[in-house]
Amino acid sequence: MQVQITVNKKPRTDEVEPRQLLVHYLRDTAGLKATNVGCDTTSCGACTVLLDGVSVKSCTVLTAQADGGTVVTVEGLGGTADGGQMHPVQSAFREEHGLQCGFCTPGMVMASVGLLSENPNPTEHEVREGLEGNYCRCTGYHNILRAVLLAAQSPDAGKPEAQVSA
Amino acid sequence: MSILGTRVVRNEDPELLTKGGTYTDDLIDERLDGAAHLIFVRSPVAHARILSIDTSEALKLPGVVAVYTAADVDLPIINPPMPMFNQDMTQTPLASDKVRYVGEPVAIVVCDDPYIREDAAELVEVEYDILPAVIGMPNAAKDEVLLWESVGTNTVVDFGTPDDLDPNLFDDCEVVVSHLIQNQRIHPAPMESRSGAASWPEGERLTAWIPSQGAQGAKAALAAQLGIDAAEVHVLTPDVGGAFGARFGADVEMVLTAWVAGKLHRPMRWSETRYENLLAMTHGRAQEQRVTIGGSRDGNMKKYRLEVLADCGAYPKIGGILPSLTRLMTPGTYVFDKAESIAKAVVTNTTPIGAYRGAGRPEATAAIERAVDIFAAEIGMDPADVRRKNLVPKFTEPHLTAFGALYDSGDYETALNKALEAANYEDLRKEQQLRRERGDAKQLGIGMSSYVEITGAGSESGDPNENATVEVHPDGTVTILTGTSPHGQGHATAWAMMASDTLGIGIDKITVIHGDTDLIPKGGGTGGSRSLQQGGMAVQKASIELVDIARTRAAELLEANEADLQFNIDDSGFSVAGVPSSTVTLAKLAEKERLFINAVFAAPGATFPFGAHLAVVEVDVETGKATLERIFCVDDAGVVMNPLLFDGQRHGGIAQGAAQAFLEEFIYDEDGNPLTASFADYPFLSATEVPSFDLVSMVTPTTYNPMGVKGVGEAGTIGATPAVQNAVVDAVSHLGVRHIDMPTSPRVVWEAIEAARSNSNSNGKVA
Amino acid sequence: MIPAPFDYVRATSAEHILELMAQHGDEAKLLAGGHSLLPMMKVRLASPTVLIDIASVPELSYVKVDGDDLVIGATTSHATVANSDLIQADAPLLSYAAAQIGDPQIRHRGTIGGSLAHSDPAADLPMTLVALDGTFELLGPSGTRSVKAEDFFIGYFETALEHDEIISAVRVPRRPGVGWGYEKFTRRANDWAIVGIATVAGRVAMANMGSIPARPVATEQALAGGQGIAEAAALAADGIEPAGDMHATTAYRQHLARVLTRRALETAASRNQA
Ligand SMILES: Cc1cc2nc3c(=O)[nH]c(=O)nc-3n(C[C@H](O)[C@H](O)[C@H](O)COP(=O)(O)OP(=O)(O)OC[C@H]3O[C@@H](n4cnc5c(N)ncnc54)[C@H](O)[C@@H]3O)c2cc1C
Ligand code: FES
Ligand code: FES
C-alpha cells in the first residue's frame, strides 16, 4: 500500500507492506538508522519517536497507521533531516553523561523531548515516571535524570526544532 | 594543568546523539550488498532427542534461499573451553542428536527478505522425543537424569571435594551459623540484542562484523570454530550496545553466519529478537551457596566455609570457571583464622552460563556479606561493629590471602567508615528504631557491604598486558590504535586524554580506533575492568616513547643536543634551551617520516579495588514491597582519570546490582520452560525503581601502574547487591527474619515475614 | 518480531466501520490504539487477515458532558482521559486510573475502548469502570445498546460484545467531590497490576483477582451495613480465588486484596467532600 509520511520535515511517499512496523519504515525504507529495536514486547522504548508531536513506540505502530502523519526521529532534532545539529536535550545528555553505549539513547532522547513538550518543568520524580517506558542498561538512569533536568532549563527543549546556539 | 583527573565530556557523544551509533544492524557496507538474512529455528523444549527435521515446507516459501540442519554443517565439534572441564560434554553448532535447552539452535533458514524470516522459520517441522529435564543444580548433582548419558555424570568440574573440608573447622567457635543462599540466574540484558554480519567471497578471506568485547578474541574463536587459519579471518567490531561480560569470543550463531556466507558465497546478516536473546545469550550468576561462619559472642569471626554449587547451563562455557573466582575471593575483606571453600559446577537443561558484570566475584561478596550479617544477627551485634572488628587492617604492601589472591593495596575500614558517615548511620538507626516502636507499615532497612575485587586479571595471552599504537600526523592530528574494545566505557575520550596529556595535542584532534583485527592484530579487549590500567597505560607509555623518538629527530633537525631540548606541552613541540626561536612541533616532525610507535604495557599483576556500600530501603511490611531510598557508595579504584566516566561506570553497576537484589531473575519451570523470555516478563529495572546514587570518593593508588589506577567497571554489581539485600533483611529482622533470597520481590519478602511470624507464634513468642 | 501478513483498511466513519466489519466478517479485527492487538500479532498469538483501523474516525474521539453523565468516545486515548479537565473534575478516579497504564508512549496510543474490549483482568480500566458503575454503548448493525460495565466482562479476554458490534462510547456518572481510592500493586511502576483496587461511593472492584474485574461483595455489604473500613476490608478476598503465577500465589493475592482494599477505602474516605 502507499503511504505519505513527513519524516524529519521531508514529505515522503512510499510503497510498503501493510504489516510493516513504523520502526522498520524509518530504518529500512527511509534509511534513518538511529532509531533502534530493543525488544519484542513494547517494553523498552529504544524505538521511541515523535508521531504527530507525541512520543510513541514505533515498534508498535504500523507504517499504515502513520499514513498522513508527521514523524520526528533523533536525526531530525535541532531542525535537521539527518543529524548534525544539537538540540538542547541532546546537548544536555552529553553534558551530563546521560549515555554510555548509546543504544537506548535515540529513544531516550525522543521520550525526553516528548516529556518536556508536555511538562516543561518536571520534578525529579516526574522525569523518572515520564521515562518509565525507556530502558537503559548502562547508566542506572542517574545521569539521564540530570540531563533531562538540565535540558528543562532551556525554554524550548520540548520543541523538536530547537537548536543549541553554537 | 593536566587534563588527567578532570571532568571531560565525551568525544563519541555528538555522533551517538544526533545520528545514532552504527550498531551491526545499522551497517551499510558494500561488502554486505545483496546480503541474505539468517534466522535460527530454536528448540522449544528443554531436553529431547531430535527424531526428524522436515525442511521441505520452508524451502517452498518464495524468498527462502536455503535451510540447513546439523547434517549439513561440516564444522568442528565445540569442546568445553577449559582443560579441567569434563571434555566429553561437547556441542555441535546446530543440535544434532539431542537438544539440551530451550532456545538451542536446531536449523538455519536463509531468506532474501528479513520480513519473511519468521514466516519461514515457522515452517520447519522438528519432531522431538521429549526427555525429563534437569532443572536446579542439586537435581543435576544427583546424576539421575543425565544431559550426556555416555558421560555418566552432570558434573563439569570440581574445585575441591567435601573430603578437603576440615571436619573440626568450627570446633573452637562459640557461635556457628549456617545458611543456604541463592545467587539467582540473571540475564546480562544489553539493550542491543546479538547480531552479526559476514562476507566471504569465493577465494577470499572472511570478513566478519561481530559486536563483541574484543575483536582479536572473537577472531581466534571464529577461526577455531570454523576450522580455518586465523589469517583467513578479518574481524571488525561495529558499535556495541552494551555487553556486560556476555560478548567475548564468537557465539555459535556468529560462527554459523560466517559459515553460511562462505557456503553460499553471499554476504549474510543475522540479528536476533529479544526473545531469542533472552534464551540464547549466555546468562550469569546461578550459584547455590552454603555459608557457615563461626566465631565468638563478642564479635570475633574466626572461621568461614563457603560451598558452591554452580550452574553451567546446558553446555560448559566460561560459567564453569567462575566458581573458581568465587573461591579465590572467599574471605572478602576479612581476617579469619581459617577459611575454606569448595565448588562444583554442573550442567542443567538451561541456557549456558557465562560472565556477567563481576563474573564470579559478586557471588563471593554476596556470600560473605550475607554470612557476616547472619552472624551479627545471631550474636545481636551491630553489623557495622562486627565488620570493623574483623576487617583486614590497612595495608600498603601487597597482602597475600590464604586462597592465593595478592591484594595490592587496601584500606577497608576507612571505606566502611566513609559510607557510614555519609549515610549518617547513627541517625538512620534511630529512625529505624522509631518506626519499629511505632509499628509503621513502612519499616526502614539499613544494609551494608564491604568488598574487595579483582580487576585487570588477564588479557588475550592471559598475562595482564595490553598494547597501543600512537601516531602523530603532519596535520597535527593523532590516531590511537588500541587493543581494548569499548562498548559504552568512553575509550575514545579516555585514551585521547591519555595521549593529549603527554603529547600536548587537544583531544578533539585525537581519533581512537579499535576493533579491526587487520589494523590491530593483538588485543585483549574490554572486560574484567582491565581497560584503563592496561590499555590506557599502554596509550600513555606509547605517547611517552613517541616523544622520545621525536626528541631524537628534533635534535637532528634543530642541530642541538638531546639534553638541551625541552618538550613544551603547550605547543606540542620541542625548543632548544636558551634559543627560543629554535622550535619544532611533533606534527612538523611527522612530515618527513611517519611518527608512530606501538607499546605494550605489562602490569605486575591484577589489582584489587575495594569499597563499601550502604543501602537504605523501605519495606512495606503489609505487602512485602521493598524500595530503595538511598545508596551510599564508596568505590576506591585508585586514581580517577575522568570522574565523568568513572562515576558513570559506578552508576550503571549500582543499578544492575540493585536490580539483582530486588527484581531480576531468569526463571524456568520444572520442565525447563523459560518463564521470563521477554522484557514484559524479565523485570528490567526502569528509572522509577532507583533513586539517585550518593557517591563518596576515596582514592588509594596502586603501585602497579604509573598512574595508580585500578578498574571500576564492576564495583557496582559487587558492592550494591549485598548491601541492598542486607537492607531488605534488616528492615524486617525485628520480625524474626534472618535471611531472604534474591530477588527480594514483594511475594518473597511477604512470605519471609509470614514464616517468621508463624515460627515465633509456634515458639510461644509474640511477633 | 513482526506480524503475519494482513490487509489494512482505514475506516472513515462509524457507519463505515460497520460496513467493513460486515464485509470482512470474522477474519477482520478492529485496530484502535493497537497496543494490545499489535503486541499479540508480533508474537503471532493473533493473526487476523484484515485490520480495520478505527483510530481516526472523528465521531469516536471526544469527552463530553451529557446531563448527569460524562460520555467518552471509544477511541479517546489513555493520555486524553488522564489529562481531561472534565474527567478530572467529575470522575477523577477514571483519569487517575488512565494515568497508571503502562508508560507515556503507551498512553499516547492506547484507547479506552480498546482496553475495555480487550478485557484483560489485570488491566486498569475494566475494574475502574466497574467501580464507577459505568455503562458502555455498543453500536451494531441494528443500532446502539447499553450494557453495564459489570455485565460486560465475561471472562479472560471475553466480553458481551457481539461479533458485529463495537464499543462506541463509555458513560460514567458525574460525581464531583465524591471520595475515591485507587491502589495498583506492581513490582515496577510500568507493570501491570499484580492486584489492583478501585473504589468510589462504596463500590469496590479489583484487577487480577480472577478472570474478570472482581467485586468484593462481602466488603461492600459490610460498608453498606455501617461497618468500619478495617472490618470491611478484611472480607475483601472472601469467596474470591485468583490464580497463582510467577509474581503471586493465590494466598498472596488474597492478602494483597485485603490490605489494598483497606488503603483504597481509607484514601476514599479522606478525599470525600460530598
Ligand atoms: C507494554 C505495555 C504495557 C501495558 N500496560 C498496561 C497497564 O499497565 N494497564 C492497562 O490497563 N493496560 C496496559 N496495556 C494495554 C494498553 O492499555 C492498551 O492500549 C489497551 O489494552 C488496548 O487499547 P488499544 O486501543 O491499544 O486497543 P487495540 O490493541 O487496538 O485493540 C485491542 C482489542 O480490542 C478490540 N477493539 C479495539 N477498539 C474497539 C472498539 N471500540 N470496539 C470493539 N472492539 C475494539 C480490537 O479488535 C482488539 O481485539 C499495556 C500495553 C503494553 C503494550
Ligand atoms: S523496541 Fe519498541 S519498545 Fe522495545
Ligand atoms: S546507554 Fe547503553 S543502554 Fe542506555
Side-chain angles (χ1 to χ4, degrees), chain B residues 61 64 154 188 193 213 225 280 331 378 384 393 425 477 493 543 572-573 619:
Chain B
L61 188 78
V64 170
N154 288 323
S193 289
Q213 291 176 247
Q225 290 184 39
E378 182 69 24
Y425 184 63
T477 63
T493 307
S543 304
S572 181
V619 174

Side-chain angles (χ1 to χ4, degrees), chain A residues 37-39 42-45 47 57 59:
Chain A
V37 174
C39 74
T42 325
S43 311
C44 76
C47 61
K57 294 181 169 178
C59 69

Side-chain angles (χ1 to χ4, degrees), chain B residues 695-712:
Chain B
L695 304 187
V696 182
S697 76
M698 175 165 171
V699 175
T700 305
T702 181
T703 55
Y704 286 13
N705 58 65
M707 248 192 101
V709 298
K710 307 187 191 184
V712 76

Side-chain angles (χ1 to χ4, degrees), chain B residues 118-173:
Chain B
E118 289 165 42
D119 306 340
E122 279 183 348
L123 297 174
V124 175
E125 293 249 342
V126 187
E127 212 186 329
Y128 295 100
D129 174 20
I130 310 252
L131 301 167
V134 183
I135 298 297
M137 301 160 246
N139 279 340
K142 283 187 213 149
D143 286 340
E144 283 165 7
V145 178
L146 298 172
L147 270 70
W148 284 263
E149 290 82 359
S150 60
V151 173
T153 177
N154 288 323
T155 295
V156 174
V157 57
D158 282 303
F159 300 97
T161 70
D163 290 344
D164 299 326
L165 298 175
D166 175 358
N168 305 316
L169 184 67
F170 297 101
D171 283 2
D172 65 342
C173 297

Side-chain angles (χ1 to χ4, degrees), chain B residues 3 14 17 72 100 138 187 198 222 416 503 546 597 736:
Chain B
I3 192 173
L17 281 161
D72 305 306
R100 293 189 175 84
H187 192 273
L222 193 57
L416 180 63
L503 303 176
L546 192 82
I597 189 162

Side-chain angles (χ1 to χ4, degrees), chain A residues 41-43, chain C residues 29-39 54 74 78 100-102 106 109-111 113-115 117-118 122-125 161 165-167 184 190-192:
Chain A
T41 46
T42 325
S43 311
Chain C
K29 275 230 163 238
L30 299 181
L31 177 69
H35 270 49
S36 288
L37 187 53
L38 293 176
I54 64 169
H78 303 323
Q100 307 315 305
I101 295 171
I106 289 164
R109 296 296 295 172
T111 69
S115 175
H118 191 58
D124 289 272
L125 297 183
L161 270 174
E165 284 180 326
I166 66 163
I167 301 180
K184 180 177 184 179
N190 60 359
D191 275 336
W192 294 79

Side-chain angles (χ1 to χ4, degrees), chain A residues 19 21 24 27 34 38 40 74-75 83 90 94-95 97 100-103 128 137-139 141-142 146, chain B residues 7 10 17 19 23 26 115 119 187-188 191 244 274-275 644 648 651-652 656 664 685 687 690-693:
Chain A
R19 67 164 161 170
L21 303 172
H24 294 133
R27 291 178 52 85
D40 317 322
V74 84
E75 291 104 326
Q90 290 168 322
R94 183 180 192 209
E95 186 49 45
H97 191 32
Q100 291 183 28
C101 80
F103 196 84
R128 289 191 181 276
R137 193 61 160 176
C138 298
T139 63
Y141 307 102
H142 185 102
R146 264 148 203 78
Chain B
R7 182 186 193 276
R10 301 200 312 174
L17 281 161
K19 294 174 196 288
Y23 306 96
D26 304 334
Y115 252 63
D119 306 340
H187 192 273
M191 282 306 300
F244 311 112
R274 180 57 68 180
Y275 172 71
L644 184 95
H651 295 147
Q656 285 179 7
E664 289 186 26
L685 185 92
V690 275
S692 292
F693 310 126

